Amino acid sequence: DLQMRQLMDGITRSSFISAQELNLAARYVGETRSIDYVTLPLVDALEKATVSEDAIKAYYDENTNEFMTQESVELEYILVSRADFSPEVSDDDIRAEYQRQIDNMQAGLSRGAAHIMLELGSRDEDQAIAELESIKAELLAGADFAELAKKYSEDTFSAQEGGDIGDTTGDVFPAEFETALASLELNEVSDPVVSEGTVHLIKLVRLEELPKPSFEEKYDTIKRDLAVVEAEPLYIEALDKLADMSFNSVGLKDTADELGLTLSRSDKVTRKGAGGIFENEKLLTAAFSDELINQGHNSQVIEISADQSVVVRVAQHFEPEQLPFADVSSAIAARLKNQVANQTLQANANSLIERMKAGEPFTGISSAMGLELNSLANIDRRGGDQPRIVQAAFAMPVNGVGYQMVSLGMQGLAVIRVSDVTPGDMSTLDEQELAALRNMLAEAAASADLAAYQASLRDNADVKLL
């Protein structure tokens, strides 16, 4: 692994980005465009769309395969759960287990913490650590921690309390914080601790031993846990008997009667499932297997979860059937109306674009059609609140002015006019933006170099199958 990582690092870390590549990327990343657009609502077109009964019936007749019921089965099944086995647990057993746990239990500790916190951001990690080390030097010289917290801590809420941030039993603060706090003696102050974008000096201000839980507090938990343990062999034994009897019997009724288990019957279950245990992939695979459907066998015991298992058999199998026209006519009508509406929108959009290309102003056309003209002036690829429109606008090759229709899904169509294409310039990026762009390109180049190297290895490898 180390050898492979060294090779990969050698390839990826030797990638570089030239000034020309950076300048070209800045040109496209920083490019701005102006977009004018109108929306052609689908809902308006749907209200006007009409479809004849003959067209609906013709679509049904020509596309019968689309209107079939799903293959399904009704299943008989025996479900066995761990919860079915609830052995009695005596108070003597519970008390003995309680005493065993108490004897092995270490005393719990509650620790009270105070801190002086500095945030990373305007300063880097090394600077924050250096500042806190300077503050700790003041502590060692005799300064009071609470006063220093009020003076220096950037956790303004706790600073007013002398840095006190409350108590923990080990699961309140971030892991690095908890680890440092647990290593301190009472009133001891830690070295700087980095955690989640902040750096801390931590002081242990309180240390209390928590009382061990009483018998009454642990009673229900221990009883439940012992019941689970004692139920385990009963559950396993029941599954073994179920597997043996269901394998050697025809149907499941005799098995259920012999073992005193409940035989149930499902509603129709399709290959996609039917909720509850009938979403289990292993169960569905078995239910639609040749062994169960055509040969009439019982399934093996199928584990549904850690606490439930089931055996199933197919009681009835239903092949796909043609749905009656009356059941699907409304759905077909809605589909055809949607097609008509979209065709109308596309025709209107094409007409609008052709009129603009012929020289008519967008403002006049949109006003005559009762459409609101919207504008996004000089935006970049991340601008605006219409991501589909912006994405389409920046995907267009534009020589002066460009026109296009854009699908807005259920909202309808948009017609856009793109103009004022201004390339980006590296000189307009600040240092942080330039560094982010350079890093992005470097990562992409490194990934491409590594992928090319791996492809070369595959192409030139001499593989022998033994």
Side-chain angles (χ1 to χ4, degrees), residues 44-58:
D44 293 346
L46 282 172
E47 289 178 359
K48 299 175 182 178
T50 58
V51 181
S52 69
E53 190 71 20
D54 289 342
I56 298 172
K57 186 64 167 65

Side-chain angles (χ1 to χ4, degrees), residues 85-105:
F85 303 91
S86 302
E88 288 296 324
V89 180
S90 70
D91 283 355
D92 289 342
D93 289 340
I94 298 173
R95 187 170 294 279
E97 176 60 18
Y98 168 77
Q99 192 60 50
R100 186 192 69 78
Q101 292 184 12
I102 290 298
D103 292 342
N104 293 329
M105 185 181 296

Side-chain angles (χ1 to χ4, degrees), residues 275-420:
I277 65 170
F278 304 107
E279 293 294 319
N280 182 272
E281 186 176 344
K282 290 183 290 186
L283 186 153
L284 294 174
T285 299
F288 287 91
S289 66
D290 178 72
E291 289 83 355
L292 268 65
I293 289 178
N294 296 320
Q295 300 178 35
H297 294 170
N298 302 324
S299 74
Q300 297 179 345
V301 175
I302 301 167
E303 185 179 55
I304 300 296
S305 68
D307 299 313
Q308 286 188 316
S309 297
V310 68
V311 170
V312 301
R313 69 175 290 272
V314 173
Q316 194 166 356
H317 176 231
F318 302 91
E319 294 284 0
E321 296 178 351
Q322 185 78 37
L323 288 167
F325 174 72
D327 291 352
V328 297
S329 60
S330 59
I332 295 174
R335 182 182 304 183
L336 294 180
K337 281 187 176 182
N338 193 69
Q339 291 177 2
V340 171
N342 275 292
Q343 290 167 0
T344 301
L345 291 185
Q346 290 174 14
N348 291 340
N350 284 324
S351 174
L352 201 159
I353 290 172
E354 290 303 317
R355 290 171 66 181
M356 282 193 288
K357 287 181 177 180
E360 292 189 54
F362 203 174
T363 304
I365 302 173
S366 59
S367 177
M369 296 179 67
L371 301 172
E372 180 183 358
L373 181 62
N374 301 280
S375 296
L376 301 171
N378 300 318
I379 64 167
D380 60 24
R381 296 172 184 272
R382 296 166 293 180
D385 58 357
Q386 294 289 340
R388 290 190 182 185
I389 291 174
V390 172
Q391 184 180 12
F394 277 91
M396 291 170 53
V398 177
N399 184 13
V401 180
Y403 308 94
Q404 188 168 304
M405 73 172 69
V406 180
S407 173
L408 301 179
M410 294 303 296
Q411 291 180 288
L413 287 177
V415 174
I416 65 174
R417 175 184 182 275
V418 180
S419 61
D420 301 327

Side-chain angles (χ1 to χ4, degrees), residues 234-307:
L234 301 178
Y235 178 63
I236 298 300
E237 182 183 5
L239 292 184
D240 288 342
K241 289 181 179 179
L242 178 61
D244 182 59
M245 292 195 64
S246 62
F247 179 78
N248 292 295
S249 64
V250 176
L252 293 174
K253 186 178 187 309
D254 291 344
T255 299
D257 292 343
E258 181 71 20
L259 298 178
L261 299 172
T262 301
L263 178 63
S264 303
R265 181 160 177 153
S266 73
D267 294 329
K268 287 184 177 180
V269 178
T270 70
R271 290 182 181 271
K272 294 182 179 180
I277 65 170
F278 304 107
E279 293 294 319
N280 182 272
E281 186 176 344
K282 290 183 290 186
L283 186 153
L284 294 174
T285 299
F288 287 91
S289 66
D290 178 72
E291 289 83 355
L292 268 65
I293 289 178
N294 296 320
Q295 300 178 35
H297 294 170
N298 302 324
S299 74
Q300 297 179 345
V301 175
I302 301 167
E303 185 179 55
I304 300 296
S305 68
D307 299 313

Side-chain angles (χ1 to χ4, degrees), residues 21-211:
E21 289 175 296
L22 190 60
N23 187 58
L24 185 61
R27 175 180 177 182
Y28 290 105
V29 170
E31 180 182 292
T32 62
R33 298 185 173 196
S34 292
I35 309 169
D36 298 315
Y37 69 95
V38 294
T39 301
L40 308 179
L42 178 61
V43 63
D44 293 346
L46 282 172
E47 289 178 359
K48 299 175 182 178
T50 58
V51 181
S52 69
E53 190 71 20
D54 289 342
I56 298 172
K57 186 64 167 65
Y59 187 93
Y60 174 80
D61 293 337
E62 294 167 7
N63 299 275
T64 53
N65 289 339
E66 293 185 27
F67 307 107
M68 304 289 290
T69 63
Q70 296 184 56
E71 180 188 10
S72 62
V73 291
E74 288 182 2
L75 300 173
E76 287 186 345
Y77 64 96
I78 300 173
L79 180 66
V80 182
S81 302
R82 290 181 193 272
D84 297 337
F85 303 91
S86 302
E88 288 296 324
V89 180
S90 70
D91 283 355
D92 289 342
D93 289 340
I94 298 173
R95 187 170 294 279
E97 176 60 18
Y98 168 77
Q99 192 60 50
R100 186 192 69 78
Q101 292 184 12
I102 290 298
D103 292 342
N104 293 329
M105 185 181 296
Q106 294 182 348
L109 294 175
S110 173
R111 293 179 171 87
H115 74 157
I116 298 172
M117 185 194 81
L118 299 181
E119 293 183 350
L120 300 179
S122 59
R123 61 173 71 85
D124 62 26
E125 186 176 305
D126 291 339
Q127 289 174 319
I129 290 173
E131 289 181 43
L132 286 178
E133 287 176 342
S134 176
I135 295 171
K136 188 171 182 179
E138 293 186 45
L139 284 170
L140 296 175
D144 180 64
F145 187 93
E147 293 303 318
L148 292 179
K150 292 178 182 179
K151 182 178 179 181
Y152 294 114
S153 181
E154 294 175 356
D155 178 359
T156 54
F157 181 79
S158 70
Q160 300 307 311
E161 304 297 326
D164 197 316
I165 52 174
D167 299 334
T168 176
T169 56
D171 56 1
V172 173
F173 306 122
E176 304 88 349
F177 195 106
E178 292 282 4
T179 299
L181 182 64
S183 69
L184 298 176
E185 300 291 338
L186 188 62
N187 294 319
E188 184 182 1
V189 178
S190 72
D191 291 329
V193 176
V194 180
S195 174
E196 298 183 353
T198 55
V199 186
H200 312 254
L201 287 180
I202 304 170
K203 181 178 181 180
L204 179 61
V205 294
R206 288 178 297 280
L207 184 63
E208 299 178 8
E209 183 174 319
L210 299 175

